[in-house]
Amino acid sequence: MRKLDLPASPLLDHLARAAGELYSRTVVAYWRILRKTGTGKNGRKPVFLSQYGMERICISPDLHSYTSDAVVGNFYASIKSANTRKKKGSKEAKYPRRRKRFFKITWKSASIRLKKGQLILSNGKRNEPLVIPWAFDLPRQVEIGWKKTGGYELRATYVGVSPRPALGNGVAAVDQGELRTATVYDGEQTTLYSGRLIRSKSRYRAKAIARLDAEISKTKRGSQRRKKLVRAKRRTVGKLNRQIQDILHKQTQHLVSTLHQRGVQTVVIGDIRDIRSSIKYGAKTNQKLHG
């Protein structure tokens, strides 16, 4: 995947607004059909309209047909994800019901062209295409979404490359923690990855959020002071999130390269995604583990 920051433009704003309007129509149509057919009157069964059926009735004239299908597909992917989580007993899983003013725009391979160093993203017949300078190969899929720090971000997806051949058939176990992000044992050697820097960043982030939230609560809704503080909070949190992500990425890259050189083919790691719903060690410890 390649990422590219894009400044806001009238065309991008128009496309994001059209995608948001289409997503909102999909949400309304899905739940309206279910509500009107699921009343139980006359022995009727509720109708869960399929994705294919929704793609037939929810089309945007401002977007490419494949882009419209991708917007509808995102809604059904959220439905599927919520169903899967509910089956596993998650009480936090919720179905998508909120409308969107703006939404990410997705182009599939049939609507993407590369010509003379420019990436041309089609928006359907009689619509102006989106043209972006591009110094890379032709991607398989392109997605453009809004960044919390302002502006847009282009995410180009390519066909995955073949993995490097394994140097052995070893197995390594990874234990995640708060003081050490990873404790790795491959049967012969143990490798520790410190989490102190990440813990410091997380702690500073929590303090910054608390301080800015306290200032925001003193302001009036819609005031310039409040908007300024909200932007400052967004910038601060976004910067710290990127720093934490960069640390994790570098540690993960080093871990994978090290295990590959040691002949490890399989990595066993604990699933801690639901740890927040099961731990109760007090406010301070909970905050550390949640972070």
Side-chain angles (χ1 to χ4, degrees), residues 40-267:
K41 296 180 179 179
N42 302 323
R44 294 184 302 177
K45 294 183 178 180
V47 175
F48 296 89
L49 188 62
S50 67
Q51 180 176 339
Y52 175 75
M54 188 66 74
E55 291 173 354
R56 298 290 299 272
I57 64 176
C58 288
I59 302 173
S60 174
D62 298 320
L63 303 173
H64 194 280
S65 59
Y66 288 155
T67 303
S68 297
D69 292 347
V71 173
V72 175
N74 277 295
F75 170 78
Y76 278 88
S78 299
I79 291 285
K80 183 178 179 180
S81 175
N83 284 332
T84 302
R85 294 180 63 193
K86 283 181 177 292
K87 288 180 180 178
K88 293 182 178 180
S90 174
K91 296 181 180 179
E92 298 179 356
K94 295 182 180 180
Y95 292 113
R97 295 180 180 272
R98 295 183 61 181
R99 304 183 187 188
K100 305 282 188 180
R101 186 180 179 188
F102 299 96
F103 198 71
K104 61 183 179 182
I105 319 116
T106 304
W107 288 268
K108 298 183 180 180
S109 57
S111 55
I112 304 173
R113 289 187 296 142
L114 184 62
K115 185 177 180 181
K116 296 181 179 179
Q118 290 185 325
L119 193 65
I120 303 174
L121 306 174
S122 174
N123 296 313
K125 293 183 179 179
R126 295 182 292 276
N127 291 331
E128 178 186 359
L130 182 63
V131 180
I132 300 171
W134 194 252
F136 311 104
D137 297 333
L138 181 68
R140 186 172 188 177
Q141 179 174 299
V142 173
E143 178 183 286
I144 296 180
W146 182 257
K147 295 195 307 179
K148 292 183 178 180
T149 54
Y152 291 90
E153 182 181 61
L154 181 148
R155 298 176 283 270
T157 306
Y158 291 84
V159 179
V161 297
S162 301
R164 292 179 292 176
L167 302 179
N169 57 355
V171 179
V174 179
D175 177 58
Q176 294 179 283
E178 186 263 335
L179 183 59
R180 298 179 180 85
T181 53
T183 302
V184 188
Y185 180 65
D186 60 1
E188 297 180 358
Q189 301 182 52
T190 302
T191 307
L192 305 178
Y193 289 87
S194 175
R196 293 183 181 274
L197 182 57
I198 294 179
R199 183 169 65 172
S200 173
K201 299 288 184 183
S202 298
R203 186 182 180 190
Y204 178 68
R205 178 178 60 186
K207 287 188 174 183
I209 292 174
R211 176 175 55 83
L212 291 169
D213 281 346
E215 292 293 329
I216 292 173
S217 65
K218 300 175 184 178
T219 60
K220 184 178 180 181
R221 286 186 176 275
S223 65
Q224 291 298 320
R225 173 65 177 167
R226 188 184 186 91
K227 293 179 181 178
K228 184 177 180 180
L229 287 171
V230 170
R231 287 195 297 268
K233 177 184 175 182
R234 188 182 298 124
R235 286 196 304 270
T236 303
V237 175
K239 180 180 179 180
L240 290 169
N241 286 340
R242 290 192 296 274
Q243 290 176 351
I244 293 173
Q245 190 66 29
D246 180 66
I247 297 169
L248 289 173
H249 175 72
K250 289 177 178 177
Q251 288 188 347
T252 305
Q253 187 177 35
H254 183 272
L255 168 63
V256 172
S257 300
T258 301
L259 293 180
H260 181 262
Q261 292 298 324
R262 293 181 186 174
V264 173
Q265 185 179 20
T266 305
V267 177

